Amino acid sequence: MSALHTISASPTSGLINSCLRLVCPGDGILFIQDGVYHCCPPDLLGDVSQDNALFALREDLLARGLLGKISERITPVGFGRFVELTVDYDKVISWS
Amino acid sequence: MSKFNYQAFDDFLDEEGYLLSLDRWDESVAVELACRENIKLTEAHWEIIRLIRKFYQRYQMAPASRALISYVKKELGSDQGRSVYVMRLFGGSAAKTVAKIAGLPKPDNCI
Amino acid sequence: MQRKSLTFITRQAPYGSNKAKLVIDAALAAAVFEQQVNFLFMDDGVFQLVQNQNAESISSKTIGRVLETLELYGIEQALVDSVSLEERDLSAEDLAIPVKILNVEQVRQLAARSDVVINL
C-alpha cells in the first residue's frame, strides 16, 4: 500500500531521516508548514530515491519567500491538489 | 465506622457518581456505592474490587473492560477471568461499575 | 465493524510533552475496539522504555507502568526500531518491558502493510 508522507517541521528536526526509513518505492513526500525549508539548497533530498514524488505546499513556500528557490524535483501544489494527493495514496503518514 | 455523613455523601461524588478523591474510599464507602448500583457485595465482589484497586495502584489507571478481564484472568485464573463471570457480579458495564465501587476514576475507552 | 491493522508510532520522550501518553491512549482505544494494533517505538520514543524510571519526582505518571498495560489490552508485542536504539546507545537489556526489535526493512514493511499509521 502506498503512502503520502507529510513533513511539517524544519530540517533541524531530523524528521526527514526518520521518514526515509519508512518510505517505500512509490510513496510520495509532501512538505508543509516549516517542512518546506527542506526544499531549497543545501540539498537535503539527495537521499530520496527518484521513485518517490516530492511535493510542497505552494502557500507555505510563498509565505516564506521560497517559491522561486526550490529544487527542480519538487512540485508545488495548492490546497486542492493536497486534498487529491491524500486520496491518491492509500494512506497518509504525518511527520511533525 | 464511616468517615461520612451520608447526607453529604453526594458532595464526594462527581456527576456520574464516581468518588472525587481516591483517599476518601474505605469498605463502608464501597458498600454504599454498591448499594446505589443495586449490588449487595459478597466475597466474590470484594475479590474483584481488591483486584481493580491493585491494578490501579500498579498501572496508575482504571482498566477498560478488556484489560480488567485480562488482569482477573492473570491473577485469579481462567474460571474468573471471563467477562461473563465479572458481568454476572457487576452487570453489563462491569468495568465502569467496579471502578465506581472501588473508588477509582471512570475508566477511559470503555465501550 | 471491519477489522483494520493500525500501527501507532510513538516518537517522543515520555515527560516533556503529553504526546507519549496520547499515543498510548489512542492505541488502547483502538485495542478496545478489537482492531489489530501494532505499537512501535522510534526516535526519542525509545526513551520511554528505559528502566528504573520514577516520575513521581516530577509529579507525573511513570510511563513504564502504563506501557505494561498494553499486553492486558491485547497488544501482545511492543516493537522497537533498532536504528533508534543504536543512535541512543541503548540495547534490549536496558529496556523496562519485553519488546521485539525490528531492523530497518522490518520497520518499513510494518508501515507499508498497515491500513493506518498514526505517527506522533
Side-chain angles (χ1 to χ4, degrees):
Chain A
M1 278 186 290
S2 65
L4 176 69
H5 299 259
T6 64
I7 294 186
S8 61
S10 87
T12 332
S13 66
L15 283 178
I16 186 77
N17 299 321
S18 305
C19 170
L20 287 179
R21 300 217 295 275
L22 263 69
V23 166
C24 293
D27 284 2
I29 303 177
L30 167 65
F31 298 97
I32 56 173
Q33 301 169 21
D34 281 347
V36 297
Y37 287 112
H38 287 88
C39 302
C40 32
D43 185 14
L44 299 158
L45 304 170
D47 290 342
V48 183
S49 154
Q50 297 293 329
D51 291 337
N52 300 116
L54 299 175
F55 310 94
L57 191 63
R58 181 182 286 111
E59 281 76 359
D60 282 325
L61 291 167
L62 267 174
R64 291 165 180 78
L66 303 179
L67 194 55
K69 300 180 182 175
I70 61 174
S71 140
E72 285 176 4
R73 283 195 61 191
I74 298 180
T75 310
V77 297
F79 282 109
R81 184 80 186 106
F82 181 175
V83 174
E84 286 171 7
L85 286 172
T86 64
V87 181
D88 291 346
Y89 291 88
D90 295 317
K91 63 192 166 218
V92 176
I93 303 180
S94 67
W95 299 86
S96 57
Chain B
M1 191 188 76
S2 170
K3 300 173 193 166
F4 288 100
N5 164 0
Y6 281 90
Q7 281 179 320
F9 192 75
D10 286 337
D11 295 343
F12 295 100
L13 306 178
D14 69 14
E15 66 271 24
E16 291 182 274
Y18 291 84
L19 207 57
L20 288 167
S21 171
L22 203 59
D23 51 17
R24 294 274 179 194
W25 188 88
D26 64 17
E27 295 199 347
S28 66
V29 172
V31 170
E32 171 63 18
L33 289 166
C35 182
R36 291 168 177 232
E37 302 290 325
N38 297 314
I39 294 171
K40 189 170 181 321
L41 297 179
T42 66
E43 182 46 37
H45 292 92
W46 285 112
E47 194 175 36
I48 304 295
I49 291 167
R50 283 192 293 268
L51 208 59
I52 199 175
R53 287 182 61 84
K54 190 174 155 195
F55 183 107
Y56 186 83
Q57 256 183 344
R58 171 152 186 80
Y59 300 114
Q60 306 180 355
M61 63 189 277
S65 176
R66 181 167 187 171
L68 175 63
I69 304 301
S70 305
Y71 192 63
V72 172
K73 188 172 177 181
K74 192 174 146 199
E75 296 286 315
L76 302 179
S78 43
D79 280 353
Q80 281 115 311
R82 292 175 300 133
S83 45
V84 61
Y85 173 82
V86 180
M87 280 160 74
R88 221 173 263 151
L89 292 171
F90 291 96
S93 322
K96 287 184 203 166
T97 308
V98 187
K100 189 181 280 186
I101 295 171
L104 307 184
K106 184 179 172 180
D108 291 331
N109 307 324
C110 241
I111 50 175
Chain C
M1 186 164 49
Q2 194 193 349
R3 199 158 185 265
K4 290 200 168 191
S5 69
L6 289 85
T7 295
F8 292 83
I9 307 181
T10 183
R11 292 180 20 258
Q12 311 291 330
Y15 308 112
S17 74
N18 66 349
K19 287 182 179 172
K21 184 69 178 24
L22 278 176
V23 181
I24 295 169
D25 285 347
L28 296 185
V32 163
F33 283 93
E34 306 278 336
Q35 302 300 298
Q36 203 255 306
V37 174
N38 304 303
F39 201 83
L40 172 70
F41 296 86
M42 192 175 173
D43 295 344
D44 282 351
V46 299
F47 286 134
Q48 297 173 39
L49 293 165
V50 172
Q51 283 174 356
N52 297 321
Q53 300 183 40
N54 185 348
E56 273 176 45
S57 56
I58 50 171
S59 306
S60 295
K61 289 187 179 184
T62 302
I63 196 93
R65 291 295 182 84
V66 187
L67 291 173
E68 284 175 14
T69 64
L70 290 173
E71 193 186 352
L72 294 169
Y73 279 82
I75 304 172
E76 300 284 340
Q77 196 146 41
L79 310 169
V80 185
D81 167 46
S82 60
V83 177
S84 305
L85 285 179
E86 284 159 24
E87 284 173 346
R88 289 158 186 80
D89 205 19
L90 293 167
S91 63
E93 303 90 72
D94 300 313
L95 307 182
I97 62 169
V99 293
K100 183 179 178 189
I101 297 176
L102 302 186
N103 64 31
V104 174
E105 193 48 37
Q106 289 170 316
V107 168
R108 184 174 290 132
Q109 288 307 320
L110 175 72
R113 66 163 195 265
S114 301
D115 293 313
V116 176
V117 177
I118 288 123
N119 181 17
L120 201 67

